[in-house]
C-alpha cells in the first residue's frame, strides 16, 4: 500500500494516524543509521533531523525510542556547541506548541506524549 507518494516506505506513528506502523526493527535501523550519520549532517539538516527524532520519541516501541534518544545525543554531541540556538529552537517549539494546545500533542496519545517529554 502506498503511504502518500513513496511506496513501501516505513511509517512512523503520526503518519496517517496509523496504528500498524510496520516493523519496529526497520524503524529502529532507520533511526540508528540517522544517528550514525550525524557527522555528515550540515547546519541546514539539523532542524529537520531533530524534528524527525523528536517525533520518533513518540514511537510505541522502546527500542525505537531508545535509538531516537541515542541519535539525538549523537547529533547534539556533534553539532550542539556550534548550533545550540538552532537545536534549542526545535525542542522549545515542541513544548511551546504543547503549552498552546493545553498539553495536546496532535495525534499522540498521552503515553506517547509522555515518552517524547521524557526523551527530550
Amino acid at each position: 500500500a502506498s503511504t502518500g507518494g513513496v511506496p513501501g516506505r516505513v511509517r512512523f506513528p503520526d503518519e496517517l494516524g496509523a496504528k500498524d506502523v510496520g516493523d519496529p526493527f526497520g524503524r529502529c535501523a532507520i533511526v540508528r543509521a540517522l544517528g550514525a550519520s550525524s557527522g555528515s549532517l550540515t547546519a541546514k539538516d539539523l532542524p529537520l533531523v531533530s524534528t524527525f527524532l523528536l517525533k520518533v520519541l513518540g514511537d510505541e516501541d522502546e527500542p525505537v525510542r531508545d535509538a531516537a534518544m541515542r541519535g539525538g545525543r549523537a547529533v547534539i554531541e556533534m553539532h550542539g556547541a556550534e548550533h545550540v540556538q538552532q537545536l534549542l529552537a526545535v525542542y522549545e517549539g515542541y513544548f511551546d506548541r504543547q503549552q498552546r494546545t493545553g498539553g495536546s500533542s496532535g495525534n499522540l496519545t498521552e503515553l506517547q506524549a509522555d515518552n517524547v517529554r521524557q526523551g527530550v
Side-chain angles (χ1 to χ4, degrees), residues 31-71:
V31 175
R32 284 183 179 162
L34 189 56
S37 68
S38 64
S40 300
L41 299 174
T42 66
K44 184 179 177 182
D45 300 324
L46 296 178
L48 178 64
V49 170
S50 297
T51 299
F52 174 75
L53 292 172
L54 183 66
K55 288 182 179 184
V56 176
L57 290 172
D59 195 278
E60 63 190 31
D61 291 301
E62 186 175 349
V64 179
R65 292 191 308 269
D66 184 58
M69 284 189 283
R70 290 174 190 263

Side-chain angles (χ1 to χ4, degrees), residues 92-120:
E92 289 174 345
Y94 170 80
F95 288 113
D96 288 347
R97 279 188 302 280
Q98 201 172 33
Q99 186 175 20
R100 281 194 309 269
T101 60
S104 169
S105 299
N107 293 335
L108 296 181
T109 65
E110 188 57 38
L111 177 61
Q112 289 171 318
D114 283 343
N115 289 335
V116 173
R117 285 189 293 272
Q118 289 175 20
V120 172

